[in-house]
């Protein structure tokens, strides 16, 4: 960091990961974090499945908790048909949750703070749920944009609104996650930079004064932990909602 | 919400202006899109690992637990029904035994009462007989005693009269006088 300025966005810079091999195939530091998240998920499953006890231990209880949480979310939101999409929703939820959590650690990359990543995930969810809608209902799925019980003369106004709101789904889905993660990490970096600036400009008094931004960062850590879980949950439940719309059309 | 809207503005602003400040908007950097390709690879592998192995295995564990709990519950229910039946049988037996015992006690009491009253009657009869015998004996003794009084009185009276008057009273006269005197004293 240059003296006298705060480089809050440098933490999002993409570099090559995994040494020279990664550099050759453009494997980035963001992909390192993704790989880490995937490995952690699989490891939790592997450890949790070791005992297969009737009364679960800690890791088994964790895996079962995650499993039942996402499964109930699918069944409650989509209905019984939701079980078909349960592995997909679980993969997305676990991947985003672990990505958010891994990104909270210093020196680890938060891949969910990249709009390219979140937009890709959101576009996948959008195209997949639209595909499910057309697969389930054929061309009758277009009726989804025609609200029921509305006088005919309102339709020219309402149908475009419905279509626009439908098309804006991937934007809101991706920007929500990206913005939350980026904002949290930027604030962290800014407050941490304040501590350096205070010490550099005010000497020993600044060092004492930097307790204030430090305290703010501690409070922010708790908030970011909440946001990490909440945003993964929001992404998963919205995925379920879009799939519900595609399956049930209302 | 403010956090979200600030970043949303950042995201919607022309990316060219942000490219040199925000690495997320730097689409000139090939790494920005290459990370998405690698993400797709990682996610596909993760999806198949979880959907073919991880999630079904957890599902099996949970199903097994549900089955074991259901089995134990039904076994417990069967045991309860059995225990209830045993308790009912026990209660019936106790009830029956109590009734039998009460009947036995009642019979014994009746028997004892009957026997006691029979014995009492027998005893009363024998006492009655003894009493009658004793009374009869008393009556004869009394009659004998009364019969003995008259000659003694006659002799005493004739002796007294002889001493007083010097004459022997008439036998029959003396006897009738003594009879009236004894009758007056209600002895005879």
């Amino acid at each position: 960091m240059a003296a006298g300025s705060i480089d809050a966005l440098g933490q999002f810079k993409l570099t090559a990961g995994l040494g020279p091999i990664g550099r050759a195939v453009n494997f980035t530091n963001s992909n390192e974090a993704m790989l880490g998240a995937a490995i952690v998920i699989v490891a939790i499953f592997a450890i949790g499945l070791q005992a297969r006890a009737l009364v679960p231990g800690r890791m088994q209880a964790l895996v079962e908790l995650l499993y039942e949480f996402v499964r109930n979310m699918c069944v409650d939101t989509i209905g019984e048909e939701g079980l078909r999409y349960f592995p997909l929703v679980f993969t997305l939820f676990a991947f985003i949750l672990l990505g958010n959590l891994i990104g909270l650690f210093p020196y680890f990359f938060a891949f969910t703070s990249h709009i390219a990543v979140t937009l890709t995930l959101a576009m996948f969810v959008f195209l997949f749920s639209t595909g499910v809608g057309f697969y389930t209902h054929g061309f009758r799925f277009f009726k989804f944009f025609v609200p029921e019980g509305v006088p005919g003369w309102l339709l020219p106004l309402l149908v475009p609104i419905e279509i626009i709101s439908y098309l804006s789904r991937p934007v809101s889905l991706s920007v929500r996650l990206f913005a939350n993660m980026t904002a949290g990490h930027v604030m962290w970096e800014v407050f941490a930079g304040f501590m350096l600036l205070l010490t550099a400009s005010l000497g020993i008094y600044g060092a004492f004064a930097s307790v204030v931004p430090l305290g703010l960062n501690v409070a922010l850590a708790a908030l970011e932990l909440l946001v990490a879980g909440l945003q993964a949950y929001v992404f998963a439940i919205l995925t379920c909602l879009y799939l519900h719309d595609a399956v049930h059309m209302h | 919400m403010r956090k979200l809207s600030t970043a949303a503005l950042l995201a919607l602003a022309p990316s060219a202006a942000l490219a040199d400040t925000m690495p997320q908007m730097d689409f000139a950097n090939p790494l920005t899109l290459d990370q998405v390709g690698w993400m797709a690879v990682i996610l596909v592998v993760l999806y198949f690992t979880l959907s073919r192995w991880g999630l079904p295995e957890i599902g099996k564990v949970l199903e097994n637990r549900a089955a074991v709990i259901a089995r134990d519950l039904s076994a417990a229910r069967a045991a309860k029904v059995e225990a209830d039946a045993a308790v009912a049988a026990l209660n019936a037996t106790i009830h029956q035994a109590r009734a039998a015992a009460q009947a036995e006690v009642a019979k014994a009491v009746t028997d004892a009462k009957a026997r006691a009253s029979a014995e009492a009657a027998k005893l009363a009869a024998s006492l009655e007989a003894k009493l009658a015998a004793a009374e009869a004996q008393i009556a004869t003794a009394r009659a004998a005693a009364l019969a003995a009084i008259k000659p003694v009185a006659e002799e005493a009276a004739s002796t007294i009269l002889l001493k007083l008057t010097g004459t022997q009273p008439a036998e029959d006269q003396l006897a009738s006088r003594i009879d009236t005197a004894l009758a007056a004293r209600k002895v005879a």
Side-chain angles (χ1 to χ4, degrees):
Chain A
M1 180 190 290
S5 75
I6 299 169
D7 179 19
L9 295 166
Q11 57 178 324
F12 303 119
K13 192 162 274 165
L14 289 165
T15 55
L18 289 187
I21 305 164
R23 195 184 305 278
V25 292
N26 276 357
F27 197 89
T28 63
N29 51 352
S30 148
N31 296 127
E32 276 179 343
M34 292 173 191
L35 195 60
I39 288 171
V40 168
I41 295 164
V42 174
I44 289 173
F45 268 81
I47 298 169
L49 275 167
Q50 256 174 352
R52 287 163 200 259
L54 205 58
V55 179
R58 277 174 209 226
M59 279 312 245
Q60 195 183 334
L62 176 68
V63 185
E64 287 178 8
L65 202 76
L66 276 174
Y67 179 97
E68 297 202 307
F69 177 68
V70 180
R71 193 192 147 99
N72 289 343
M73 183 160 69
C74 281
V75 174
D76 293 348
T77 316
I78 310 176
E80 278 305 313
E81 306 92 328
L83 285 181
R84 212 180 307 154
Y85 311 110
F86 165 55
L88 179 73
V89 177
F90 188 94
T91 307
L92 282 173
F93 175 72
F95 186 66
I96 293 171
L97 178 67
L98 262 294
N100 290 349
L101 290 176
I102 283 179
L104 293 183
F105 289 93
Y107 301 108
F108 281 73
F109 195 88
F111 61 79
T112 41
S113 64
H114 263 260
I115 185 72
V117 168
T118 60
L119 189 61
T120 307
L121 291 172
M123 280 309 291
F124 169 74
V125 168
F126 175 73
L127 293 176
F128 181 77
S129 60
T130 310
V132 167
F134 279 111
Y135 179 80
T136 314
H137 303 287
F139 284 105
R140 276 178 299 136
F141 187 60
F142 281 117
K143 268 164 97 183
F144 181 72
F145 302 110
V146 185
E148 272 176 57
V150 168
W153 57 271
L154 262 179
L155 284 181
L157 188 65
L158 279 179
V159 170
I161 290 176
E162 288 285 327
I163 291 174
I164 289 167
S165 89
Y166 190 79
L167 292 179
S168 67
R169 279 174 173 187
V171 178
S172 68
L173 193 59
S174 60
V175 168
R176 185 181 299 112
L177 180 57
F178 152 74
N180 270 287
M181 298 317 291
T182 302
H185 283 75
V186 165
M187 275 159 80
W188 246 341
E189 186 91 36
V190 166
F191 286 131
F194 277 165
M195 293 165 71
L196 294 182
L197 281 181
L198 280 168
T199 316
S201 54
L202 298 175
I204 187 76
Y205 303 109
F208 277 111
S210 59
V211 166
V212 176
L214 178 67
L216 282 171
N217 258 3
V218 170
L220 208 54
L223 179 70
E224 286 307 307
L225 203 61
L226 175 76
V227 167
L230 198 66
Q231 288 307 316
Y233 173 71
V234 166
F235 197 97
I237 196 113
L238 283 175
T239 302
C240 286
L241 268 175
Y242 297 163
L243 284 169
H244 169 267
D245 286 348
V247 172
H248 296 290
M249 273 186 54
H250 55 72
Chain B
M1 273 339 269
R2 215 185 71 206
K3 213 162 79 175
L4 190 143
S5 56
T6 326
L9 281 176
L10 286 176
L12 294 173
S15 58
L18 286 165
D20 40 344
T21 53
M22 244 186 133
Q24 288 102 316
M25 293 299 159
D26 186 7
F27 286 100
N29 184 353
L31 293 178
T32 306
L33 289 179
D34 286 343
Q35 65 169 340
V36 171
W38 281 111
M39 176 177 75
V41 173
I42 292 167
L43 268 180
V44 166
V45 173
L46 182 64
Y47 175 77
F48 280 105
T49 312
L50 290 183
S51 66
R52 293 286 149 85
W53 167 74
L55 296 171
E57 292 295 311
I58 294 292
K60 263 188 246 166
V61 170
L62 292 174
E63 265 167 38
N64 175 48
R65 177 174 309 146
V68 167
I69 288 172
R71 203 186 61 209
D72 288 0
L73 270 181
S74 69
R77 252 179 234 123
K80 190 187 179 301
V81 167
E82 221 167 285
D84 284 350
V87 166
L90 179 69
N91 280 340
T93 313
I94 287 173
H95 198 74
Q96 213 175 329
R98 191 173 292 149
Q102 270 166 356
E104 200 78 13
V105 167
K107 192 166 152 265
V109 166
T110 329
D111 277 4
K113 269 185 192 159
R115 216 174 312 124
S117 66
E119 227 143 86
K122 213 167 82 186
L123 192 63
S126 82
L127 284 177
E128 203 74 27
K130 268 185 197 166
L131 200 62
E135 270 172 4
Q137 224 172 332
I138 288 167
T140 30
R142 185 185 159 96
L146 287 177
I149 282 173
K150 206 176 159 185
V152 173
E154 274 177 3
E155 206 183 303
S158 73
T159 310
I160 289 163
L161 283 174
L162 188 65
K163 288 254 175 97
L164 289 175
T165 59
T167 55
Q168 194 81 20
E171 283 249 340
D172 48 334
Q173 202 182 344
L174 185 71
S176 70
R177 287 279 181 95
I178 283 172
D179 275 350
T180 38
L182 281 175
R185 286 182 176 78
K186 298 189 183 187
V187 173

